[in-house]
Amino acid sequence: MDTNPSNLLPSLDDAARLNRLAELAVKVGLGLVPGQELVMTSPVEALPLARLITEHAYKAGASLVTTLFSDEQSTLLRYRFGPDEGFDTSSAWLFEGMAAAFRSGAARLAIVGSDPSLLSEQDPGKVARANRAQSKAYRPALDLIADSYINWTLVPFAHPAWARAVFPEAAPEEAVRRLWDAIYSITRVDTPDPIAAWAAHNANLKARQDRLNEQRFHSLRFRGPGTDLIVGLAEGHAWMGGASRAKNGVYGNPNIPTEEVFTTPHRARTQGVVSATKPLSHQGTLIDGIRVRFEEGAIVEAHATRGQAVLEQMISTDAGARQLGEVALVPSSNPIARSGILFLNTLFDENAASHIALGQAYSKCFVAEFSEEELVRRGANRSLIHVDWMIGSPEVEVDGLDEAGHATPVMRGGEWVD
């Protein structure tokens, strides 16, 4: 069997760039420390990248790398042949094992890249039930990730089906090549020194979050076509972005790529209407033309020109699914937005524009470490989901409001106001 990663991707003629991406994932994304275990998840198509990450992890001193592979065709077989009652179950034992690994100090890395329309022809009810079951089972591990208990990161792979969806007019091999070129550019792999480029980028994001933390806004107001939305911010919220230090003391970048600064909204203080500025690819379905209305923090009306049933299923997951768990600001001049590509992948598309997320809040976005009860008191949302969707564009103005309602311009024309 040929185990050379570069030979497993005949359409990828630059193995050096793939190797730099793997190195970036370990050194910048994870900040992996000697003696630390790594738990990695990956689609089977991403085996070449998974092997390179494993190599760099061991070179960085990892004590053990354990990789769990997923297969989309096997997922489809479940919908074709699986019993109906099976869609209410998930592998809780697996996620409990992952949580145990995290509590023991293991790092977490997910290679992301999938067919964005994989489940588009499947029963939305079964998709929703399977997602709900998995969300419940995953909760022990997800809570540790959301709480930054460990260092973790996401890194992309140009899955062939993803490439075909992004570039449908291109031949399959050309589509994969174009997607890889975009990934390498946006992740700064194509710079002379990617690690130094990320250090400079993280410093810029840190300066921006420091400025927002100094301003201590009570809420944000978004105004643009189809949007007039006030997002109240949680009491004692803190802005974050780029690299951060996990509770285990390890410094890394949870997302490769990332262009956002973000914080925690108050779950009961969002009011108004908002229209999505980009489609949302969610669990194999494209939801387009999203327009919702909030009252006292919760969605009371939700419409989509495409994917309405999936949108309704998503916001019906639990009570917190109708409330916000994140608000993020992203300038329109960032590399993802400049590419002009709709990636149909949240890791990329959420970093192309300012966005909000329905569902679970990040407990790390506060000025201090609080108990679960105190986080809820301060406005943090709780839910089985966390779904980001884009509401920013050069046409959307963002103001920071103090408690009296006085406005300070934050973004105009899609760019920061300094």
Side-chain angles (χ1 to χ4, degrees):
M1 177 179 177
D2 187 351
T3 58
N4 182 350
S6 63
N7 290 340
L8 294 175
L9 279 179
S11 61
L12 181 63
D13 58 6
D14 191 354
R17 292 198 293 175
L18 190 68
N19 186 63
R20 287 200 296 271
L21 179 61
E23 182 181 21
L24 194 71
V26 172
K27 293 184 177 179
V28 173
L30 287 177
L32 199 72
V33 296
Q36 190 173 28
E37 286 190 38
L38 172 60
V39 176
M40 178 163 49
T41 56
S42 170
V44 293
E45 291 84 357
L47 177 60
L49 179 58
R51 285 176 173 167
L52 287 170
I53 289 173
T54 300
E55 177 183 337
H56 282 284
Y58 281 126
K59 287 180 177 178
S63 59
L64 178 65
V65 179
T66 302
T67 305
L68 306 171
F69 288 97
S70 59
D71 173 44
E72 291 185 341
Q73 295 307 307
S74 295
T75 298
L76 290 177
L77 290 173
R78 179 189 189 188
Y79 284 87
R80 184 177 179 186
F81 300 112
D84 181 74
E85 62 272 17
F87 290 91
D88 295 312
T89 62
S90 187
S91 303
W93 55 269
L94 174 63
F95 300 119
E96 289 168 2
M98 293 175 70
F102 300 156
R103 285 191 289 268
S104 297
R108 164 82 164 103
L109 186 147
I111 299 177
V112 298
S114 60
D115 182 353
S117 61
L118 180 71
L119 302 179
S120 61
E121 297 182 3
Q122 305 307 316
D123 180 351
K126 287 185 177 180
V127 174
R129 288 164 57 200
N131 290 339
R132 187 179 296 111
Q134 179 165 314
S135 294
K136 290 180 179 178
Y138 190 37
R139 193 61 183 262
L142 181 62
D143 282 349
L144 295 170
I145 294 171
D147 194 36
S148 291
Y149 186 83
I150 54 157
N151 48 320
W152 60 275
T153 195
L154 309 177
V155 63
F157 181 87
H159 187 295
W162 178 24
R164 291 195 299 272
V166 174
F167 301 108
E169 77 288 352
E173 288 189 4
E174 172 66 11
V176 170
R177 185 194 64 77
R178 289 173 63 180
L179 183 54
W180 270 124
D181 285 345
I183 288 172
Y184 292 140
S185 174
I186 289 166
T187 59
R188 296 171 171 81
V189 164
D190 280 344
T191 60
D193 188 340
I195 293 177
W198 271 91
H201 180 51
N202 282 327
N204 289 334
L205 291 173
K206 179 65 165 59
R208 183 56 58 187
Q209 75 184 52
D210 287 348
R211 173 76 181 276
L212 288 166
N213 283 328
E214 290 168 1
Q215 292 172 309
R216 304 306 310 159
F217 292 128
H218 184 258
S219 56
L220 297 176
R221 185 175 187 179
F222 295 82
R223 286 181 293 180
T227 293
D228 191 351
L229 184 74
I230 293 179
V231 178
L233 302 179
E235 298 174 20
H237 70 276
W239 289 87
M240 301 190 73
S244 61
R245 193 175 303 279
K247 290 183 178 178
N248 61 3
V250 181
Y251 192 72
N253 273 83
N255 288 353
I256 301 288
T258 185
E259 301 291 335
E260 64 178 335
V261 289
F262 59 95
T263 195
T264 298
H266 192 292
R267 68 182 181 281
R269 293 202 297 106
T270 297
Q271 194 82 11
V273 296
V274 61
S275 297
T277 52
K278 290 179 179 290
L280 167 64
S281 180
H282 178 68
Q283 301 293 348
T285 299
L286 192 69
I287 309 174
D288 201 1
I290 299 173
R291 179 177 169 83
V292 304
R293 181 166 66 87
F294 286 87
E295 288 185 1
E296 298 180 349
I299 292 176
V300 294
E301 292 180 20
H303 305 282
T305 57
R306 178 181 178 184
Q308 176 76 24
V310 176
L311 175 63
E312 291 176 353
Q313 292 273 7
M314 180 182 73
I315 64 175
S316 299
T317 302
D318 53 29
R322 292 179 177 269
Q323 298 170 302
L324 295 186
E326 178 190 348
V327 60
L329 300 177
V330 182
S332 296
S333 58
N334 75 82
I336 301 175
R338 288 201 310 268
S339 75
I341 299 171
L342 178 63
F343 284 92
L344 305 173
N345 179 288
T346 299
L347 177 60
F348 283 78
D349 290 333
E350 73 163 351
N351 281 292
S354 295
H355 54 273
I356 51 179
L358 296 172
Q360 179 72 16
Y362 290 119
S363 57
K364 66 181 180 180
C365 291
F366 285 87
V367 294
E369 186 174 342
F370 297 116
S371 68
E372 177 70 16
E373 294 75 15
E374 181 65 13
L375 288 171
V376 171
R377 190 191 72 77
R378 288 173 175 269
N381 193 33
R382 289 295 176 258
S383 175
L384 291 172
I385 70 167
H386 182 94
V387 180
D388 301 87
W389 49 286
M390 288 54 73
I391 65 170
S393 79
E395 296 179 287
V396 177
E397 295 182 348
V398 183
D399 288 324
L401 306 181
D402 63 18
E403 196 163 358
H406 298 132
T408 299
V410 174
M411 302 190 87
R412 291 291 186 270
E415 301 302 322
W416 296 110
V417 175
D418 289 315

